[in-house]
Amino acid sequence: MTTSYDHFNLIFRGGTVYDGTGDEPFNADIGITGDRISALGDLSTATANDEIDASGMAVSPGFIDVHSHDDFHVLSSPDVEHNTLQGVTTLVVGNCGFGAAPYESAAGRLGELFKLPPGVTPWDGYAGYLATIDQVKPSLNVAALIGHNTLRLDAMGDSQEVPPSIDQVTHMAGWVAEGMDAGAVGFSTGLVYEPGRFSTTDEIAAVATVSGGYRGVYASHIRNEGEGLLKAVQEAIIVGEMSGCSVQISHHKASGSDNWGAIERTLEIIEAARERGLHVSVDQYPYTSGSTRLAAVLQNGAFSDGSGGFGLVKAEDVLIATAPGYPSHEGRSLESFIKEWDLPPEDAAQKILDEAGDDVYVVLFMMDEGDVRRVMAHPTTMIGTDGIPVGSKPHPRAWGTYPRILGHYVRDESVITLPDAIHKMSGMPADKFQLAGRGFVKEGAFADLVMFDPSTVIDTATYEDPKTPPVGMPHVIVNGVPVVRDGVHTHARAGRALRLGLE
Ligand SMILES: [Zn+2]
């Protein structure tokens, strides 16, 4: 740990460094030159243009949010405050089968989250999307997955319930090739959503094979997180084995109280696949509630027989997060509408959709705390927010995921250790998604860093008041530039598009 430099742009002095490997921390100063960490060690005689006193504080790699839906949000709100203020320096967008390209299918038909902001020119494929990221320059880095639902809309239009023709599969595969060539990091599905839920395993594997040729990831919101959970995990593994992709099971959970505990079995299935040589891992947000489109909950029969992808969901466990044009609906439970309108759950949900349109999002309380902890503690689990920062009462995970793990689950509950938590938030996802030069604190790596106080860091976002930043996390650096300083966003736009395997 010596250096030939004696002057830096920025030095973190006296911090405890958690380097992203999962190893025990060490004390070191961190010297930054340009966009890189240029020295690590005792820099007490060195000078710098800018210094941060890190004594008593933890300094770690910036967090990599492996499960983001901010594909368009990074363009319309490029400060991306909900993420940057909680220490996130890189997003992996394009999850659950919803991607940013081809543009027409992404923006035209997939709702409010996927609207192009004014002043940004539409792109065609992923080369264009990633170029647009570099042009707009959000405050953090963006890596992209290619979304199956989006490609299926593009290939098949409105005739979604039939299998695709050979030509239509070729059309989808062509877009995956375009995306992977452009630097996308893999391919995603969302098999509880339309149109993906009409697809077969063979179709998915055929299209995913293109991603496998680049050693890309297959990330899946699996077909069933309720009573069909085990089969759905097995399907994701089969797609990995058929396509050559490494597998990422998104927001891993057992949904619906009848299915709680099934996580023990899924983790065994995952471990067995890893022993066979398949790289399978999962991600998680640290809450017992999820959030999704109300239309999808209804389509999956969650209020009737519970055999669909969400299991059985009780109306009192559903909160309206976002209802375009009906802000007074937001924050209310579905149960309250059932009483007011004297309708059964399905009809009340349908009435809300009829009034407010398809872009209604809900928060669903459907997980077991024991399962959440079991998933968190598993060595294959990394962290993602699954944030959907729209409407007035979005799920608090969009603002609170990382500080909630560091404060609640690491410090207060000892579910995982701090070095392990940092590894799950940085080094592990950087390796999985082939984000070269990211995810670790070491000489030569990109200077994506976060400083926090392990004794005070905590989330403050709640279901009632979900858009609040954490405490105890004062500084966030992206590519050597402070984007959060003393807990305040600097409006620096230091992010860039990340391309598979390239620095
Ligand atoms: Zn999902």
Side-chain angles (χ1 to χ4, degrees):
M1 292 198 192
T2 55
T3 173
S4 55
Y5 299 90
D6 56 7
H7 187 80
F8 299 90
N9 287 358
L10 174 63
I11 293 181
F12 279 87
R13 285 200 192 277
T16 302
V17 177
Y18 293 77
D19 67 1
T21 61
D23 291 346
E24 287 304 307
F26 52 89
N27 296 322
D29 305 323
I30 301 173
I32 296 167
T33 304
D35 61 2
R36 305 275 179 160
I37 295 167
S38 49
L40 194 59
D42 179 1
L43 304 177
S44 52
T45 61
T47 55
N49 299 340
D50 190 7
E51 302 200 359
I52 290 174
D53 177 6
S55 48
M57 305 292 269
V59 186
S60 79
F63 306 140
I64 297 171
D65 179 354
V66 299
H67 198 95
S68 171
H69 290 291
D70 288 337
D71 310 50
F72 283 59
H73 189 87
V74 294
L75 303 175
S76 59
S77 304
D79 281 355
V80 208
E81 285 208 335
H82 62 285
N83 276 309
T84 47
L85 290 169
Q86 62 168 312
V88 174
T89 57
T90 294
L91 299 178
V92 179
V93 301
N95 278 282
C96 300
F98 296 107
Y103 172 77
E104 285 301 326
S105 297
R109 305 171 65 179
L110 291 176
E112 207 48 45
L113 271 182
F114 293 87
K115 288 274 190 293
L116 186 66
V120 176
T121 320
W123 51 88
D124 189 21
Y126 278 89
Y129 174 68
L130 294 172
T132 304
I133 296 290
D134 280 332
Q135 190 185 18
V136 170
K137 276 185 159 294
S139 290
L140 39 57
N141 305 308
V142 179
L145 294 163
I146 302 158
H148 173 244
N149 289 323
T150 313
L151 302 190
R152 211 170 190 274
L153 276 171
D154 197 68
M156 300 176 68
D158 289 327
S159 56
Q160 297 288 344
E161 296 188 38
V162 296
S165 66
I166 297 285
D167 279 354
Q168 287 166 332
V169 172
T170 306
H171 181 96
M172 289 190 262
W175 279 116
V176 180
E178 187 279 334
M180 297 305 295
D181 264 343
V185 295
F187 173 67
S188 81
T189 55
L191 302 178
V192 298
Y193 298 113
E194 294 190 351
R197 70 196 198 94
F198 302 123
S199 62
T200 63
T201 309
D202 284 343
E203 171 192 328
I204 297 161
V207 181
T209 297
V210 184
S211 170
Y214 293 75
R215 295 176 52 241
V217 168
Y218 170 61
S220 184
H221 179 156
I222 58 177
R223 209 177 283 276
N224 197 307
E225 295 177 329
E227 65 181 47
L229 177 65
L230 303 189
K231 264 185 82 175
V233 167
Q234 280 157 341
E235 181 185 33
I237 288 169
I238 288 167
V239 170
E241 286 175 335
M242 288 173 78
S243 67
C245 291
S246 80
V247 175
Q248 178 81 356
I249 294 173
S250 299
H251 43 60
H252 191 38
K253 67 171 85 69
S255 178
S257 55
D258 291 348
N259 308 306
W260 291 351
I263 286 301
E264 285 189 34
R265 188 73 192 101
T266 62
L267 294 175
E268 285 169 12
I269 293 169
I270 289 165
E271 284 164 14
R274 288 174 70 93
E275 274 164 31
R276 293 199 300 275
L278 186 71
H279 194 287
V280 193
S281 48
V282 312
D283 54 70
Q284 179 190 40
Y285 48 84
Y287 296 85
T288 52
S289 67
S291 181
T292 190
R293 301 169 75 86
L294 177 58
V297 181
L298 204 55
Q299 283 157 3
N300 281 268
F303 304 125
S304 50
D305 70 346
S307 65
F310 297 90
L312 194 62
V313 179
K314 294 194 213 91
E316 70 242 41
D317 293 335
V318 179
L319 297 176
I320 307 298
T322 307
Y326 291 81
S328 64
H329 284 12
E330 295 172 355
R332 286 183 59 184
S333 72
L334 181 59
E335 183 73 11
S336 74
F337 293 96
I338 291 169
K339 285 189 175 138
E340 183 184 326
W341 295 334
D342 194 21
L343 289 173
E346 288 93 340
D347 295 356
Q350 189 58 55
K351 184 169 151 82
I352 293 168
L353 288 169
D354 291 344
E355 288 177 357
D358 245 11
D359 292 325
V360 175
Y361 286 82
V362 289
V363 170
L364 306 163
F365 292 85
M366 56 4 182
M367 280 176 254
D368 171 51
E369 176 68 22
D371 283 349
V372 169
R373 292 172 183 228
R374 214 165 281 131
V375 172
M376 192 177 294
H378 197 261
T380 64
T381 302
M382 52 192 88
I383 307 303
T385 64
D386 204 358
I388 306 171
V390 292
S392 66
K393 303 285 183 196
H395 194 297
R397 66 196 184 188
W399 292 81
T401 288
Y402 292 88
R404 179 169 168 78
I405 289 176
L406 297 173
H408 181 64
Y409 286 106
V410 171
R411 183 184 59 237
D412 299 341
E413 298 291 318
S414 305
V415 174
I416 50 175
T417 66
L418 187 50
D420 194 22
I422 297 299
H423 179 55
K424 290 167 176 292
M425 297 170 174
S426 58
M428 195 195 297
D431 285 344
K432 175 83 183 187
F433 291 89
Q434 301 184 57
L435 305 176
R438 310 282 169 183
F440 299 95
V441 178
K442 60 181 181 186
E443 283 184 31
F446 287 103
D448 293 345
L449 296 165
V450 54
M451 182 178 111
F452 59 93
D453 182 344
S455 66
T456 63
V457 65
I458 195 70
D459 60 313
T460 67
T462 61
Y463 296 99
E464 296 75 32
D465 192 7
K467 298 182 169 186
T468 59
V471 295
M473 192 177 276
H475 304 303
V476 183
I477 311 292
V478 175
N479 294 312
V481 178
V483 297
V484 177
R485 196 75 191 253
D486 299 314
V488 178
H489 204 297
T490 64
H491 306 297
R493 304 266 289 273
R496 49 183 80 151
L498 304 187
R499 294 172 176 82
L500 183 81
L502 298 179
E503 291 213 347

